[in-house]
């Protein structure tokens, strides 16, 4: 007896369908689209009756996507590596409001889950003779999560490219503190320049013959699928405690985290409404308010990890709901400006004694508006980063120091070193050859 293998298909529909491990190794599909599962399993909460830990929920939820794949036998071990840290879902502020804290991992942002899963998958796949070099352009959080996930893994090296002087001092320290098989390059240029350099080198088929390259950015299906797990885990524990679905507000930039939440709902998990919270980069909020979708130039805000004018994963949202009316019925969005972010950070501290990061503040501000307009039911705000990652924003507002988490303190205690790199793909190629 053989199972039908659940394939991954491209959102553009031209590239052939592939097994999940090939899609994970590939990054984007060869037709320029993004991989998505061709079908979704349908679970009921009872299917998870014997699963209490995040590891077990993740394994049961992800198993159908890996059935028949080269990674199937390793999936439980991969889940044990990636989901060791349980994210708390706890009451927050007023009645029936909750917070899902996804920042208790190594680099104190939710990206630790997806990056950890991707790294564990690549480590479990057969390795070539030469090491695989992962190139990651980052505006802050992604590079640290990817560096931490691959640090010390055999057969893999990571080159982090970040814009010199344009990440926070704490973020810069994190990016440079790994060493060994992870090198940080501070690029003379902007985040867009870093992305261009990465694309230039990754798109060079000849160079890839010389040096095997991989990418680990947020469009990888190897980061997207695992992000469903913490939503499943939170919704199930809420369902068991209350018998009610959980409505969720997700701080949104490139839309990876929010699409994962929608996929978890599509798989039958007891998730109610899903609302996207934008900062002043409000293209999604405008679309959901009825305007045509228009990618826009990025504007800088206090919630810098959400400063995305043209979210890559919008293509996945449209693939899930090809009809705009259906998409607008399934999801909604709202946006908040920097003044709202500041006010919400102060408000959470003064009224509830809670300290939140600027990204989490976007979601909380959106939830407060929803409540004012009479939204009922149980709502959860997703906390995407630890507030101590952003002391320059948070501390002046609340008038006190934000205590470091143990993981952040350990990272900041390490030495940190970044190498200068010109905004020049030829120089980057040479660095990679000389490594
Ligand atoms: C990356 C990031 C986001 C945005 O997540 P997307 O998946 O890109 O929408 C929000 N908050 C923090 C702290 C982040 O690091």
């Amino acid at each position: 007896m053989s199972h039908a293998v659940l394939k991954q298909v491209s959102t553009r529909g031209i590239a052939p369908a592939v097994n999940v491990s090939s899609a994970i190794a590939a990054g984007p599909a060869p037709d320029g689209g993004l991989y998505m599962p061709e079908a979704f399993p349908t679970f009921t909460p009872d299917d998870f009756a014997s699963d209490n830990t995040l590891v077990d929920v993740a394994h049961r939820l992800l198993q159908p996507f890996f059935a028949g794949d080269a990674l199937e036998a390793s999936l439980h071990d991969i889940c044990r590596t990636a989901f060791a840290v349980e994210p708390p879902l706890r009451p927050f502020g007023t009645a029936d409001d909750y917070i899902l804290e996804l920042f208790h991992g190594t680099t104190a942002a939710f990206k630790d889950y997806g990056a950890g899963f991707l790294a564990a998958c690549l480590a479990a796949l057969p390795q070539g003779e030469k090491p695989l070099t992962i190139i990651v352009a980052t505006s802050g959080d992604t590079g640290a999560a990817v560096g931490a996930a691959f640090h010390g893994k055999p057969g893999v090296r990571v080159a982090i490219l970040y814009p010199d002087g344009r990440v926070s001092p704490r973020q810069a320290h994190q990016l440079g503190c790994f060493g060994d098989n992870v090198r940080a390059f501070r690029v003379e240029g902007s985040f867009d320049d870093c992305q261009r350099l990465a694309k230039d080198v990754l798109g060079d088929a000849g160079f890839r013959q010389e040096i095997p390259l991989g990418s680990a950015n947020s469009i990888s299906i190897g980061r997207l699928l695992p992000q469903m797990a913490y939503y499943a885990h939170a919704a199930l524990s809420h369902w068991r405690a209350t018998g009610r679905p959980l409505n969720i507000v997700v701080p949104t930039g490139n839309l990876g985290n929010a699409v994962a939440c929608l996929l978890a709902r599509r798989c039958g998990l007891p998730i109610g409404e899903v609302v996207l919270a934008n900062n002043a980069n409000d293209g999604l909020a405008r679309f959901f308010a009825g305007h045509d979708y228009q990618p826009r130039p990025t504007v800088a805000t206090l919630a810098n990890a959400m400063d995305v004018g043209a979210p890559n994963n919008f293509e996945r949202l449209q693939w899930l709901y090809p009809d705009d009316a259906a998409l607008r019925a399934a999801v909604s969005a709202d946006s908040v400006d920097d003044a709202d972010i500041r006010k919400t950070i102060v408000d959470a501290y003064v009224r509830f004694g809670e300290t939140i990061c600027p990204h989490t503040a976007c979601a909380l501000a959106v939830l407060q508006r929803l409540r004012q307009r009479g939204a009922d039911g149980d709502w959860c705000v997703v906390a995407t980063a630890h507030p101590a990652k952003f002391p320059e924003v948070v501390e002046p507002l609340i008038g006190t120091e934000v205590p470091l988490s143990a993981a952040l303190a350990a990272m900041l205690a390490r030495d940190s070193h970044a190498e200068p790199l010109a905004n020049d793909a030829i120089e980057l190629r040479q660095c990679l050859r000389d490594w």
Side-chain angles (χ1 to χ4, degrees):
M1 272 202 337
S2 69
H3 290 288
V5 176
L6 199 159
K7 298 273 190 182
Q8 305 294 315
V9 295
S10 167
T11 47
R12 306 218 176 143
I14 296 163
V18 296
N19 281 0
V20 70
S21 54
S22 309
I24 288 173
D31 60 2
L34 307 178
Y35 282 114
M36 283 291 265
E38 63 180 346
F40 294 89
T42 315
F43 290 97
T44 68
D46 286 346
D47 294 326
F48 296 88
S50 61
D51 305 317
N52 290 309
T53 63
L54 176 61
V55 172
D56 289 344
V57 168
H59 183 241
R60 188 168 312 274
L61 176 64
L62 294 173
Q63 206 280 333
F65 299 96
F66 287 80
D69 184 80
L71 286 169
E72 182 177 18
S74 318
L75 184 62
H76 203 251
D77 283 338
I78 292 169
C79 289
R80 263 198 289 269
T81 307
F83 297 114
V85 177
E86 299 247 332
L89 173 70
R90 59 179 186 82
F92 184 95
T94 42
D96 304 330
D97 287 355
Y98 297 83
I99 189 164
L100 175 62
E101 293 179 350
L102 300 179
F103 55 66
H104 294 281
T106 320
T107 72
F110 80 90
K111 293 187 175 80
D112 284 326
Y113 287 109
F117 188 88
L118 174 65
C121 286
L122 293 179
L125 287 171
Q127 309 202 340
E129 274 163 38
K130 293 186 191 165
L132 179 70
T133 303
I134 306 268
I135 302 182
V136 57
T138 184
S139 58
D141 290 336
T142 299
V146 170
F150 287 94
H151 185 216
K153 289 250 188 323
V156 192
R157 311 185 300 196
V158 177
I160 299 171
L161 310 180
Y162 74 88
D164 195 7
R166 302 193 200 189
V167 304
S168 79
R170 216 160 253 186
Q171 283 176 321
H173 189 99
Q174 267 195 327
L175 294 170
C177 80
F178 299 105
D180 308 318
N181 64 328
V182 180
R183 280 165 73 177
F185 295 95
R186 47 185 174 85
V187 175
E188 241 172 74
S190 66
F191 170 59
D192 288 334
D193 293 325
C194 294
Q195 270 194 313
R196 245 192 312 273
L197 282 179
K199 266 199 190 146
D200 184 312
V201 174
L202 283 163
D204 179 345
F207 186 68
R208 293 183 78 149
Q209 295 283 313
E210 220 180 301
I211 299 187
L213 299 178
S215 79
N217 66 16
S218 75
I219 58 171
S220 167
I221 192 79
R223 282 180 55 183
L224 186 74
L225 291 177
Q227 290 177 171
M228 291 191 293
Y230 43 74
Y231 291 113
H233 182 254
L236 285 167
S237 65
H238 187 71
W239 180 262
R240 285 175 193 151
T242 65
R244 292 194 295 267
L246 192 60
N247 303 293
I248 303 181
V249 187
V250 187
T252 293
N254 237 335
L255 259 171
N257 204 7
V259 167
C261 183
L262 293 168
L263 297 185
R265 187 174 72 180
R266 172 84 56 116
C267 292
L269 276 303
I271 295 168
E273 286 187 50
V274 175
V275 178
L276 317 176
N278 274 167
N279 58 22
N281 293 279
D282 61 356
L284 291 169
R286 289 176 54 80
F287 169 80
F288 283 101
H291 299 270
D292 287 341
Y293 176 68
Q294 286 233 311
R296 313 180 114 209
T298 302
V299 299
T301 76
L302 296 175
N304 66 353
M306 293 158 53
D307 290 349
V308 181
N312 281 323
N313 285 300
F314 191 69
E315 189 164 336
R316 284 190 161 118
L317 212 53
Q318 287 188 305
W319 182 88
L320 278 169
Y321 303 98
D323 175 61
D324 280 357
L327 175 52
R328 289 186 177 116
V331 195
S332 56
D334 199 357
S335 70
V336 304
D337 60 19
D338 276 358
D340 294 324
I341 292 174
R342 287 197 189 89
K343 185 178 154 300
T344 307
I345 291 173
V346 172
D347 190 60
Y349 187 71
V350 171
R351 284 173 60 207
F352 312 129
E354 300 269 10
T355 309
I356 55 173
C357 91
H359 312 83
T360 309
C362 294
L364 182 59
V366 167
L367 175 56
Q368 287 175 343
R369 274 187 211 160
L370 285 166
R371 289 294 197 197
Q372 275 158 18
R373 290 180 205 142
D376 54 13
D378 300 348
W379 284 82
C380 150
V381 160
V382 176
T384 47
H386 192 289
K389 278 194 110 165
F390 307 94
E392 30 324 275
V393 179
V394 176
E395 290 179 352
L397 291 170
I398 64 171
T400 180
E401 221 171 280
V402 184
L404 290 172
S405 66
L408 274 178
M411 280 211 158
L412 294 176
R414 300 218 305 247
D415 283 341
S416 178
H417 173 70
E419 302 163 56
L421 183 74
N423 179 11
D424 176 5
I426 293 172
E427 194 171 311
L428 175 57
R429 282 186 185 75
Q430 197 54 46
C431 278
L432 298 176
R433 281 194 191 98
D434 294 343
W435 194 339

